[in-house]
């Protein structure tokens, strides 16, 4: 094993947002020297990493030059320059997840095609290079309303996803590469995080249940374990593992899935990194997803993914009508609640629905945890001063 | 409540060692801007705090000037210039723990006198300004061998403590202010951490059991909960609380105690800060001692001190015969063990018995945890390259 701890080993991370910030908490724990690249000097990681570089993650030269200064490269966001990563990989730099995996996952059309090619259950889809193509397809009755539209690239947190119910909706779509999917009714949105290292060793985290905000299409609660039948849970973990193995993935892969009314599991999409659906693990799991990410990319033994207690994450997003310097109203009342831990991402400016932090509720009793989570949500207000 | 989260509030910390480093993990979680003063640019906190100041913690001007640049001041080590703290407090700076408490605790003679004055059970002691006084006391048969000798100031981790069994031992003692205590046979060394905020609200952590290294007089394992009778445990928590209340303490107070063969509890000494005996809490407790410290000094509601599972801390100290750049030998084998989390403090140079890190073992079953802890201890070697 290489000596990563208190050594001159340099870990590079593309992206310096909240995921990077929570990762830093683990690299600090292991005393792994961490170098971060982000476009903004105000990024949540900027002040607390060992070394911060400012630059555009989509610019070839910036990413390439950054890669030359580290011993191993990982990502906390998938929208990065893959050509630079592939050149770096060819020149011998270990990059996890692998650039070829990120390239597929970056583009939802390629991602969906990958599932189809590998026999992974997913909703039927069509792929369009331009909006004109899509309209043409509708006019020729190849697709019909309602359908789900997804931008092929640069979507996040429900951005770039729309339900198209009529021609007006169709007209208002942006003119970008996209996919459409059948609108599938489902019981639950689930997620499973898989860790896989270079040795091909794998661990899956328990299935979580995601409850969405009805308007913002953002996750409001993540509940671990999901309150579903053990057989469905096993199926979901098996499918998530199958996806990770199909990619020959190295690192952490978050697999989002639908549970249909017939208890079928359909893969919705994946993220090649630590994920919002795994934040509960910091307090509730024996090994947090962030520590597990480090373990997996450094080919260390993977940690125990079981939970010490039930965990529920409440997303803290900026309140509508508030833009400006952030204030976490009623935080004191939240801190009074049992087994509650706030995480504040360090963004100075709040905007409507901007992810500003999260609160984890841990309790031996999942129903109690769910009730406390509701109270947290109802109590705290992320507003501007 | 003041707005501490993502605000312009500046938290100052005297000391930038491993305790400060673990504290930073919590201030980062809450996005509290943290400024650290330490004598060494190589201190574990230096690279990862928001702002680092280099300077002598015992120098009046350095501490005073530092204090003028923060909104609230706390400590992670008790050997700091108290005169500067008292001047700052007079000028209105909130300082927790209070300078008057630190002044008493800094000096073991004053500390012992405090227990005696407040009816807190502790071993009988005598106080000497110089070694000559102590020798005189022996020659006049006022004390007899064996006895425990403790330097009144600047002891840590068993430094400054000796068992004096004969005249030769007595002769070899340094000539400093000291106390002597009766050598009391005991069953267990226990510790309780008390959190107390400005509102006078208190929480005690479960009693832990400390197993010491026979030669180095350093804690080898901290076991939570202590494997003792519930009645003894309650008594220990009550006494710890009594100490905190007697001090009118604000912050975290670690109370080390002896359990005698008659199940009496005697207070050995206290630390006015986060403590080695509470490191297990990062993984095992609903609220880690470091988060609790933040909550207590900011007069926030105190968190749940219960445990999610049993926790055992294994200290990682430098191996005898090794001085130089550190290598954590067999770390990979440790990472294979169940429920194991290493914490590496970020010290580049190892020395015999230097505290370099710790490993926490968490398990529902305390006997399993103890067995794994033993394996960790036997497996890892903190050596020089």
């Amino acid at each position: 094993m290489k000596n990563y701890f208190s050594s001159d080993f340099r870990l590079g991370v593309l992206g310096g947002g909240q995921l990077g910030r929570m990762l830093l908490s683990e690299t600090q724990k292991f005393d792994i020297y961490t170098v971060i690249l982000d476009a903004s000097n105000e990024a949540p990681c900027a002040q607390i990493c060992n070394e911060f570089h400012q630059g555009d993650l989509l610019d070839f030269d910036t990413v390439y030059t950054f890669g030359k200064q580290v011993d191993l490269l990982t990502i906390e966001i998938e929208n990065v320059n893959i050509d630079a990563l592939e050149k770096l990989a060819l020149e011998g730099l270990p990059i996890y997840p692998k650039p070829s995996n990120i390239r597929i996952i970056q583009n939802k059309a390629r991602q969906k095609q990958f599932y189809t090619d590998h026999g992974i259950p997913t909703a039927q889809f069509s792929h369009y290079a331009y909006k004109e193509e899509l309209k043409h397809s509708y006019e020729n009755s190849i697709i019909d309303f309602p359908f789900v539209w997804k931008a092929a690239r640069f979507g996040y947190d429900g951005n770039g996803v729309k339900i198209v119910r009529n021609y007006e909706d169709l007209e208002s779509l942006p003119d970008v590469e996209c996919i459409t999917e059948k609108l599938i009714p489902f019981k639950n949105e689930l997620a499973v995080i898989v860790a896989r290292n270079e040795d091909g060793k794998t661990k899956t985290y328990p299935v979580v249940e995601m409850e969405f905000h009805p308007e913002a299409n953002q996750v409001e609660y993540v509940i671990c374990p999901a309150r579903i039948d053990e057989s469905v849970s096993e199926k979901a973990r098996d499918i998530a593992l199958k996806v990770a193995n199909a990619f020959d993935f190295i690192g952490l892969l978050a697999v989002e899935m639908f549970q249909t009314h017939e208890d079928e599991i359909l893969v919705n999409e994946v993220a090649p990194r630590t994920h919002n659906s795994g934040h509960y693990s910091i307090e509730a799991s024996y090994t947090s997803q962030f520590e597990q990410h480090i373990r997996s990319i450094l080919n260390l033994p993977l940690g125990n993914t079981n939970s010490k207690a039930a965990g529920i994450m409440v997303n803290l997003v900026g309140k509508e009508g508030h833009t400006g310097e952030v204030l976490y109203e009623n935080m004191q009342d939240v801190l009074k609640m049992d087994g509650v831990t706030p995480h504040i991402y360090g963004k100075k400016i709040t905007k409507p629905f901007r992810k500003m932090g999260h609160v984890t509720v841990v309790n031996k009793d999942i129903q109690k945890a769910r009730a406390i989570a509701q109270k947290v949500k109802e109590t705290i207000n992320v507003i501007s001063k």
Side-chain angles (χ1 to χ4, degrees), chain A:
Chain A
M1 186 187 85
K2 264 208 191 139
N3 178 23
Y4 300 114
F5 310 94
S6 295
S7 76
D8 53 9
F9 172 81
R10 293 163 62 88
L11 173 66
V13 183
L14 298 178
Q18 63 261 23
L19 298 175
R21 191 176 169 99
M22 290 183 266
L23 188 75
L24 282 177
S25 170
E26 304 303 320
T27 57
Q28 288 169 10
K29 196 172 78 182
F30 286 173
D31 196 33
I32 295 173
Y33 191 94
T34 310
V35 192
I36 300 239
L37 178 69
D38 195 278
S40 167
N41 270 332
E42 303 269 287
C45 290
Q47 281 201 321
I48 60 172
C49 56
N50 295 93
E51 210 179 295
F52 181 76
H53 296 226
Q54 190 188 6
D56 184 353
L57 298 174
L58 289 164
D59 180 66
F60 181 92
D61 289 337
T62 304
V63 171
Y64 179 75
T65 308
F66 180 78
K68 283 307 213 187
Q69 299 171 66
V70 300
D71 296 312
L72 189 147
L73 194 54
T74 189
I75 58 165
E76 65 96 70
I77 184 167
E78 54 272 33
N79 293 326
V80 297
N81 190 296
I82 303 293
D83 293 337
L85 295 189
E86 286 187 335
K87 186 167 158 65
L88 289 163
L90 274 175
E91 291 170 8
L93 183 68
I95 304 177
Y96 305 118
K98 290 177 290 183
S100 57
N101 286 169
I102 308 173
R103 193 186 281 284
I104 291 167
I105 293 166
Q106 254 187 2
N107 185 301
K108 283 185 185 157
R110 284 203 207 103
Q111 207 188 115
K112 291 287 284 191
Q113 193 57 51
F114 182 87
Y115 303 143
T116 306
D117 293 349
H118 289 81
I120 290 156
T122 192
Q124 276 180 35
F125 78 106
S126 304
H127 176 203
Y128 306 95
Y130 311 99
K131 189 168 153 184
E132 256 333 286
E133 258 195 352
L134 171 57
K135 281 170 82 173
H136 193 255
S137 187
Y138 170 73
E139 280 149 12
N140 289 285
S141 302
I142 296 167
I143 58 167
D144 202 2
F145 303 127
F147 62 81
V148 180
W149 171 92
K150 291 179 178 174
R153 297 202 55 181
F154 302 118
Y156 64 94
D157 290 347
N159 280 308
V161 178
K162 288 209 167 63
I163 296 176
V164 178
R165 299 187 186 277
N166 50 47
Y167 199 75
E168 204 186 329
D169 287 353
L170 177 56
E171 278 290 349
S172 71
L173 292 172
D175 183 19
V176 294
E177 183 189 356
C178 64
I179 61 168
T180 62
E181 286 178 1
K182 267 176 67 175
L183 181 63
I184 291 173
F186 54 82
K187 273 202 258 192
N188 281 307
E189 294 205 46
L190 306 173
V192 171
I193 291 175
V194 184
R196 194 169 179 281
N197 68 13
E198 214 184 328
D199 288 346
K201 292 281 194 311
T202 58
K203 293 255 187 189
T204 58
Y205 278 85
V207 183
V208 301
E209 197 184 325
M210 297 184 288
E211 285 191 30
F212 280 76
H213 184 280
E215 288 152 55
N217 194 26
Q218 270 185 328
V219 177
E220 206 163 12
Y221 303 105
V222 171
I223 301 167
C224 178
R227 295 159 299 178
I228 56 174
D229 286 351
E230 184 53 34
S231 62
V232 178
S233 172
E234 269 175 38
K235 199 196 287 181
R237 285 173 94 149
D238 284 350
I239 288 173
L241 199 55
K242 188 174 174 184
V243 177
N245 286 330
F247 275 117
D248 189 24
F249 198 82
I250 296 171
L252 231 62
L253 187 73
V255 184
E256 295 188 47
M257 294 170 277
F258 298 116
Q259 175 189 5
T260 69
H261 291 289
E262 295 75 35
D263 285 343
E264 247 194 309
I265 295 290
L266 298 176
V267 172
N268 178 22
E269 59 181 54
V270 302
R273 50 168 169 78
T274 57
H275 193 250
N276 193 266
S277 67
H279 289 351
Y280 79 90
S281 67
I282 298 174
E283 284 82 17
S285 307
Y286 284 95
T287 312
S288 93
Q289 67 164 339
F290 297 96
E291 178 177 333
Q292 198 76 292
H293 180 73
I294 299 294
R295 287 176 180 244
S296 59
I297 62 174
L298 299 184
N299 202 26
L300 296 170
L302 300 176
N304 183 345
T305 55
N306 292 339
S307 294
K308 299 171 209 169
I312 299 189
M313 185 211 63
V314 184
N315 258 338
L316 299 184
V317 301
K319 200 171 179 170
E320 274 190 277
H322 286 264
T323 299
E325 278 186 58
V326 67
L327 184 72
Y328 297 88
E329 198 182 48
N330 302 327
M331 181 63 104
Q332 182 136 10
D333 299 314
V334 167
L335 287 168
K336 274 182 201 148
M337 300 175 193
D338 190 32
V340 154
T341 305
H343 291 254
I344 306 297
Y345 297 157
K347 301 172 184 175
K348 300 300 173 213
I349 302 298
T350 184
K351 295 175 197 168
F353 302 114
R354 187 177 194 196
K355 274 192 198 170
M356 300 299 288
H358 74 262
V359 175
T360 311
V361 182
V362 178
N363 204 296
K364 299 276 178 197
D365 178 340
I366 197 167
Q367 299 310 332
K368 276 190 198 153
R370 183 63 185 76
I372 295 169
Q374 183 94 33
K375 263 176 65 192
V376 169
K377 191 82 195 173
E378 287 163 6
T379 303
I380 203 164
N381 285 314
V382 183
I383 58 175
S384 54
K385 279 185 200 165

